[in-house]
């Protein structure tokens, strides 16, 4: 058996924000290492990486420190700010970035955070690339005493590209006009996307838990705690309920009667769709 990555877990680098491996020094070195490895990858925009984040209070400084490390390796960084993990995956693939990076700890509490690296295809980075990045960290220079992060400004146009893509998935959305949905955003990344998406599709949406303050992500809400969403869906007699996690890469659904439709239900629906 060959080497296995030790810093990268099942879903990226995870930990408590501010403590190893998510302390500023290690995040900087991780950015340098990712840049040195992925900058060599073939892509339409080789040497360019897109970075997004969820709503945790630590996500901003982690994104900027990581971006500074990437820039130190000669990587051009496009920073899109708060966006969903599927949004980063789409932007990476659609715009031909060498890689996409999402700063998020998904369904975990606000104290935690993580760095998820996606390949140019928008899929999870391969194990061999993770091993190469870990090796490159050992030779990365220490971060300068003062990081110049002033150049890393949010590029808002990319969020609109993602919204346009989501709308396009509905095709002729006339059958959706007037539909009613209850959506629990978990005070997370979907807070920036859901309301506008439903508006564009003509769906009447009741949005829950979409006031992130940096510390309330996943707190008693979202896919970890769907009770409020199911209750609101039933009481409003809505057509559908949905509860996202912090970075909106998972969701639970509710029927009109308030019954939870979990991942097994989604797999069944997809199987029927592809069979048809």
């Amino acid at each position: 058996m060959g080497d296995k990555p030790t810093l990268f877990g099942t879903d990226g680098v995870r930990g408590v924000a501010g403590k190893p491996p998510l302390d500023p020094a290690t995040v900087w070195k991780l950015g340098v290492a990712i840049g040195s490895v992925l900058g060599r990858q073939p892509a339409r925009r080789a040497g360019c990486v897109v970075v997004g984040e969820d709503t945790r209070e630590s996500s901003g400084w982690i994104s900027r420190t990581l971006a500074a490390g990437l820039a130190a390796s000669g990587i051009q960084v496009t920073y899109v700010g708060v966006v969903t993990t599927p949004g980063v995956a789409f932007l990476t693939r659609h715009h031909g970035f060498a890689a996409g990076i999402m700063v998020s700890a998904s369904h975990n509490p606000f104290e935690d955070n993580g760095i998820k690296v996606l390949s140019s295809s928008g899929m999870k980075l391969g194990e061999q690339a993770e091993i190469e990045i870990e090796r490159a960290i050992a030779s990365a220079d220490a971060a300068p005493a003062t990081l110049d992060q002033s150049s890393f400004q949010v590029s808002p146009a990319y969020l609109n590209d993602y919204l346009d893509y989501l709308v396009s998935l509905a095709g002729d959305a006339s059958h959706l006009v007037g539909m009613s949905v209850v959506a629990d955003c978990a005070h997370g990344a979907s807070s920036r996307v859901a309301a506008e998406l439903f508006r564009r599709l003509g769906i009447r949406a009741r949005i829950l838990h979409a006031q992130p303050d940096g510390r309330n992500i996943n707190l008693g809400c979202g896919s970890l705690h769907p009770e409020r969403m199911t209750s609101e869906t039933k009481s409003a007699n809505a057509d559908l309920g949905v509860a996202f996690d912090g970075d909106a890469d998972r969701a639970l659904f509710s029927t009109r009667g308030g019954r939870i439709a979990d991942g097994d239900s989604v797999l069944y629906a997809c199987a029927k769709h592809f069979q048809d």
Side-chain angles (χ1 to χ4, degrees):
M1 294 180 66
D3 293 336
K4 293 287 186 180
T6 57
L7 185 63
F8 285 86
T10 304
D11 204 13
V13 180
R14 291 279 181 91
V16 177
K19 297 181 179 180
L22 292 180
D23 58 296
T26 306
V27 171
W28 158 271
K29 288 187 175 185
L30 185 58
V32 173
I34 292 171
S36 67
V37 172
L38 297 184
R40 303 190 297 267
Q41 299 289 321
R44 297 206 312 270
R45 296 179 63 180
C48 300
V49 170
V50 60
V51 176
E53 66 192 40
D54 70 13
T55 57
R56 294 164 210 272
E57 64 179 12
S58 60
S59 291
W61 73 257
I62 291 176
S63 292
R64 288 175 170 82
T65 302
L66 190 70
L70 287 161
S73 283
I75 299 296
Q76 179 182 335
V77 178
T78 295
Y79 176 44
V80 296
V82 173
V83 69
T84 66
T85 291
V88 170
F90 163 74
L91 293 172
T92 303
R93 182 178 67 253
H94 180 71
H95 289 286
F97 287 102
I101 299 176
M102 180 67 182
V103 175
S104 173
S106 190
H107 60 281
N108 292 335
F110 86 91
E111 297 93 343
D112 296 336
N113 218 321
I115 296 171
K116 186 183 305 186
V117 186
L118 306 176
S119 70
S120 57
S121 66
M123 304 297 287
K124 181 183 175 183
L125 196 65
E127 190 174 275
Q128 186 55 44
E130 292 177 345
I131 292 171
E132 291 179 25
I133 290 169
E134 290 188 6
R135 289 173 178 165
I137 289 175
S139 58
D141 293 332
T146 302
L147 298 178
D148 179 13
Q149 300 176 358
S150 60
S151 61
F152 302 115
Q153 303 298 321
V154 174
S155 302
Y158 287 89
L159 182 67
N160 192 61
D161 288 348
Y162 178 47
L163 281 165
D164 286 345
Y165 167 69
L166 293 177
V167 170
S168 75
L169 293 176
D172 177 8
S174 59
H175 63 290
L176 299 178
V177 174
M179 176 180 280
S180 58
V181 169
V182 174
D184 186 338
C185 295
H187 298 304
S190 61
S191 301
R192 196 169 181 222
V193 176
E196 176 61 14
L197 172 63
F198 292 134
R199 185 193 67 78
R200 292 191 188 189
L201 292 173
I203 294 173
R204 295 184 290 110
R206 173 162 171 69
I207 306 295
L208 308 176
H209 306 120
Q211 298 81 37
D213 63 9
R215 295 191 167 204
N216 59 0
I217 188 170
N218 301 313
L219 185 61
C221 58
S223 60
L224 284 177
H225 304 278
E227 300 82 12
R228 169 88 184 277
M229 178 272 293
T230 58
S231 174
E232 292 276 351
T233 303
K234 183 176 181 179
S235 64
N237 196 33
D239 295 297
L240 184 72
V242 56
F244 298 103
D245 70 342
D247 63 336
D249 66 352
R250 73 178 69 187
L252 287 178
F253 298 88
S254 172
T255 66
R256 186 192 300 270
R259 180 179 64 82
I260 285 285
D262 59 12
D264 288 341
S265 301
V266 173
L267 285 172
Y268 176 76
C270 289
K272 289 287 291 178
H273 167 74
F274 285 117
Q275 183 181 47
D276 293 340

